[in-house]
Amino acid sequence: MRQPVLLGKPDTKRTHYLERAAREAGLHVLFLDWDRWKKHFPEGKIFLKIDPPMWDCCLLDQLPGLAKDYLQCLEELERLKACQDVMFFNHPNVIKMLLDKKECKNRLKKAGLAVTEELTEIHKPAEKKELAEAKGPAQPAVEKKQDRIKTPEQLLAIMGEKRIFQVFLKPVYGSGAAGAAALRLQPQTGKMVLYTCAGETSKDGINCLVNTKQLQRFTDSRQVLSMLEKLLRLGCIVERWYAKADYQGYSYDLRAVVQDGRMDFCLARLSKGPITNLHLNNHPLELDALGLSHIVMEKIQDLCQRSMELFPGLRSAGIDILLERGSLKPRIIEMNAQGDLIYQDIYGKNVIYRRQAEMMRAACSEE
């Protein structure tokens, strides 16, 4: 029989509630701390669940470096199979795939799944070019094919060319709305509004961005352009800002946790603003309260199932889903191979981690 092992951080809700579910299932899970995992990695046949590391830093400029370190750790864990009999709850390689928002979206889109589309991937018939008059340097000519938007001038030019005046920006590697932003542009006047949790601060005499964990609204064009320049420097994907379905005056999207092909939990995240993460004082709502039709629910479940099938080695994922206002067509916003912590679940029936304990016990008993 394999030894189930959890690689994570002590005294966290992830660790506490998975261990509680395991005890209730009669399963002893060995805990391995991220700070000492290489020195104390257990020998023998193991079944490993990898939880994300915790970062104390709030400087967004350090996000790419932290992500790089984590990716290297995942590569080291992946190489363990060459010298030890290790099975994974979610394979390190698939965790890496989902961490990269751009590559994850590309795989989903190539398979024909509905996603929130990147601005550089939207192929709309050319119309009369109407560039916004943002106060700043002249805007360069727009390239027909462009993999990444690097400057505010490029962003505004592409928005004008495609006549898309509301977009989301998100660092390719990032979570918890760190570095995420929503930009609205008035094309006739050039006025801009930027919503983001990022804020500017000074460190060693240099202006940089921090994650304030509070949604802020910026309207001064110079400040908006300054923020955009710093955000794009992090390496962002830029997506169309879709009008979301609404409920009692709130717009919402969905967070579904899908495990072994089954949706084990799903809730709506209601917000008066464009960013719905619950830690920003937004409101969770049970899925049943939305009154979605059977047809819409079937479409959501089918989209989730098909997306999971595209990533072999993925047993569990948190999937963020947008329902378009009016049609309620579901689109995948993003997937997270470590998106299983839902407070409304752990403080309730702890369904997600109880199911994981069952999955771990079954996997460890197979041999």
Side-chain angles (χ1 to χ4, degrees), residues 9 12 14 34-35 51-74 95 99 101 171-176 178 211 213 338:
K9 293 296 294 181
T12 63
R14 288 178 181 275
W34 265 113
D35 290 341
D51 275 351
M54 294 185 66
W55 299 325
D56 295 329
C57 180
C58 65
L59 291 174
L60 293 177
D61 292 342
Q62 295 187 12
L63 186 61
L66 292 170
K68 182 179 179 181
D69 290 344
Y70 183 36
L71 292 172
Q72 289 176 345
C73 286
L74 291 171
I95 295 175
L99 281 171
K101 293 182 177 66
V172 171
Y173 295 102
S175 61
N211 182 15
K213 299 185 180 180
Q338 296 167 314

Side-chain angles (χ1 to χ4, degrees), residues 85-311:
D85 191 349
V86 180
M87 289 181 60
F88 297 99
F89 181 79
N90 278 345
H91 197 280
N93 190 47
V94 82
I95 295 175
K96 285 165 49 186
M97 289 183 191
L98 269 62
L99 281 171
D100 188 329
K101 293 182 177 66
K102 185 176 181 65
E103 290 306 314
C104 177
K105 276 287 183 64
N106 286 343
R107 180 173 289 214
L108 294 169
K109 188 173 180 180
K110 285 179 181 177
L113 274 62
V115 299
T116 50
E117 293 191 273
E118 280 194 74
L119 206 62
T120 52
E121 297 294 330
I122 297 169
H123 302 292
K124 187 175 180 180
E127 299 179 24
K128 183 179 178 181
K129 188 176 295 186
E130 194 171 315
L131 301 181
E133 294 182 359
K135 295 180 181 179
Q139 297 161 346
V142 181
E143 295 177 0
K144 294 300 180 183
K145 292 185 178 180
Q146 188 170 352
D147 185 57
R148 177 182 156 198
I149 299 172
K150 298 180 181 180
T151 68
E153 293 74 37
Q154 288 177 337
L155 172 59
L156 295 172
I158 293 173
M159 289 172 68
E161 181 195 40
K162 296 182 180 295
R163 299 186 61 79
I164 295 173
F165 303 116
Q166 297 187 137
V167 297
F168 271 95
L169 297 84
K170 293 183 289 186
V172 171
Y173 295 102
S175 61
L183 173 67
R184 179 178 286 128
L185 170 68
Q186 217 298 325
Q188 280 74 38
T189 64
K191 290 183 178 180
M192 295 177 283
V193 181
L194 183 71
Y195 303 87
T196 181
C197 295
E200 291 186 291
T201 189
S202 179
K203 184 173 186 271
D204 299 326
I206 300 174
N207 284 338
C208 55
L209 294 182
V210 295
N211 182 15
T212 67
K213 299 185 180 180
Q214 293 181 335
L215 189 62
Q216 302 182 79
R217 181 176 181 269
F218 300 94
T219 58
D220 180 85
S221 61
R222 288 175 297 180
Q223 190 171 21
V224 170
L225 291 170
S226 173
M227 296 284 288
L228 287 174
E229 182 179 10
K230 293 179 175 64
L231 288 168
L232 289 169
R233 206 181 296 156
L234 299 175
C236 288
I237 60 172
V238 181
E239 299 179 335
R240 182 200 291 267
W241 177 348
Y242 292 80
K244 296 179 181 179
D246 53 17
Y247 174 84
Q248 296 186 357
Y250 292 88
S251 62
Y252 70 86
D253 58 22
L254 307 176
R255 162 58 69 92
V257 177
V258 183
Q259 305 190 122
D260 269 358
R262 187 174 84 192
M263 186 186 293
D264 282 332
F265 198 85
C266 187
L267 86 166
R269 306 182 299 184
L270 279 61
S271 175
K272 290 289 188 180
I275 300 178
T276 59
N277 296 66
L278 293 178
H279 71 276
L280 300 177
N281 294 321
N282 293 319
H283 307 287
L285 182 72
E286 291 186 6
L287 185 64
D288 292 344
L290 295 174
L292 298 175
S293 70
H294 180 69
I295 293 175
V296 172
M297 286 304 305
E298 280 189 341
K299 289 180 179 178
I300 293 170
Q301 292 171 359
D302 179 65
L303 186 62
C304 288
Q305 184 173 350
R306 291 172 63 197
S307 67
M308 295 289 288
E309 291 171 354
L310 293 175
F311 298 94

Side-chain angles (χ1 to χ4, degrees), residues 5-9 31-34 37 48-51 77:
V5 178
L6 172 64
L7 173 57
K9 293 296 294 181
F31 177 74
L32 187 61
D33 193 330
W34 265 113
W37 74 272
L48 181 64
K49 184 187 179 215
I50 305 168
D51 275 351
L77 287 163

